[in-house]
Amino acid sequence: MPRADGLDVLVSEVGPRDGLQSVASLMPLEHKMAWIDAEALAGVREIEVGSFVPAHILPSMADTGDLVRHAKAIPGLTVAALVPNLKGAQAAVEAGAHKITLPVSVSETHSLRNVRRTHAQMIEEAQAIAALLATLPPGRRPSFEGGLSTAFGCTLEGLVADATLTRLAEALMQAGCDEVGLSDTSGYASPSEVKRLVRLVRGVVGEEALSGLHLHNTRGLGLANALAGLEVGITTLDASLGGLGGCPFAPGASGNIVTEDLVFMLQAMGLKTGIDLERLVEVRRRLPGWLPGEASYGFLADAGPPLGFSGEAAVAAR
Ligand code: ZN
């Protein structure tokens, strides 16, 4: 389905949330703001700025409300936030987030470990959030995504059953989500599995209800999996600048797929992202200054674009 915003692919930056919640260092609020401002200026249209979790659980996310309020002032930017429960959703609504994502682990073991809730309890949470959103005037109502985490497998359970995935996807849509997304939380996906599971879930919820993938590069298959997603019509891809986040289980592996490498691949394929790659790489170079001591990953920032590559300008001219 073509996107309403005129882009071929929406690259959604999740570094301020997924990246920062996975590293030991705390990034000061002013640096987070500078990062978000700079990426938006480079043309990134959606940024997940944080997670509405209690500060004692994730101190790095304590300023998410401030960040949402700040980022909302940036014209044309969709401000997204993760919400683990109804309380988080209430805080996100109060701050004025444009999009909220409730992560629901397909692995029930992971769900219990992560948010101490069963699948049934998470569906109830989704229903409660949908009921809250229904009380808001349309202009203040954020879009509501059910994020199916560990959709491709889980470090605690191994493979997860197809039937569990489709049952949860269907239940989330029935609960009132606007869409569902598939997350490869543990870096278990392969290109063939991406295609198979996207088709499988769409067979249950419909094509328009699944447009996004959240991929990790834990085992080096991140961009291959992104390409597989594009081939089955995925139009939103999450990524993290400099692959920030890493993975404690796989030293040397980046966390999410690397934003600048993804944008390079998309533009090299002639796809419109709305992003100025050169400016994006400049933002990436500032990242170590905002978060000293944390590793950055990826290839494009070191190698630079190929001679004669001029990003989307060249695409537009062809
Ligand atoms: Zn993730």
Side-chain angles (χ1 to χ4, degrees), residues 37-294:
D37 292 352
E39 265 206 65
L41 267 178
V44 173
R45 308 268 184 102
E46 182 175 294
I47 302 181
E48 192 171 70
V49 300
S51 179
F52 283 96
V53 285
H56 70 270
I57 295 179
L58 275 178
S60 58
M61 298 290 114
D63 49 16
T64 299
D66 294 329
L67 276 175
V68 168
R69 283 182 285 273
H70 171 80
K72 263 183 54 130
I74 302 172
L77 180 71
T78 298
V79 181
L82 209 74
V83 299
N85 49 35
L86 175 63
K87 208 172 164 210
Q90 282 161 340
V93 165
E94 264 165 46
H98 300 126
K99 178 181 175 182
I100 58 173
T101 300
L102 175 73
V104 179
S105 262
V106 182
S107 154
E108 197 158 33
T109 317
H110 184 262
S111 184
L112 286 166
R113 191 79 62 93
N114 211 24
V115 290
R116 282 172 292 171
R117 282 187 173 81
T118 63
H119 282 160
Q121 288 171 319
M122 286 310 289
I123 297 303
E124 278 171 29
E125 210 70 40
Q127 287 164 341
I129 293 171
L132 164 74
L133 300 186
T135 65
L136 301 171
R140 282 199 54 220
R141 186 185 176 283
S143 70
F144 180 25
E145 181 192 39
L148 290 155
S149 47
T150 67
F152 298 88
C154 159
T155 48
L156 303 167
E157 281 190 14
L159 292 180
V160 294
D162 286 357
T164 313
L165 174 63
T166 51
R167 181 173 54 77
L168 279 177
E170 204 171 18
L172 282 169
M173 291 304 290
Q174 280 167 0
C177 287
D178 298 308
E179 58 177 331
V180 291
L182 300 186
S183 295
D184 183 21
T185 315
S186 331
Y188 277 30
S190 67
S192 56
E193 278 297 276
V194 166
K195 289 186 181 179
R196 191 180 71 79
L197 292 186
V198 167
R199 289 183 177 126
L200 182 78
V201 172
R202 281 180 167 172
V204 176
V205 299
E207 191 182 336
E208 64 291 339
L210 170 57
S211 62
L213 290 176
H214 175 96
L215 300 167
H216 280 240
N217 196 36
T218 319
R219 291 174 177 78
L221 296 189
L223 284 186
N225 292 335
L227 179 61
L230 295 173
E231 287 178 357
V232 289
I234 287 296
T235 58
T236 299
L237 290 166
D238 290 358
S240 172
L241 197 70
L244 184 72
C247 173
F249 309 110
S254 75
N256 299 103
I257 52 176
V258 176
T259 308
E260 62 276 17
D261 288 6
L262 173 67
V263 171
F264 170 62
M265 181 182 87
L266 296 171
Q267 294 188 346
M269 292 171 66
L271 297 170
K272 188 170 189 288
T273 64
I275 295 169
D276 182 328
L277 185 59
E278 212 172 300
R279 291 179 86 167
L280 185 69
V281 170
E282 281 167 24
V283 184
R284 200 272 208 185
R285 298 221 166 93
R286 294 170 69 188
L287 199 53
W290 290 323
L291 196 67
E294 294 294 344

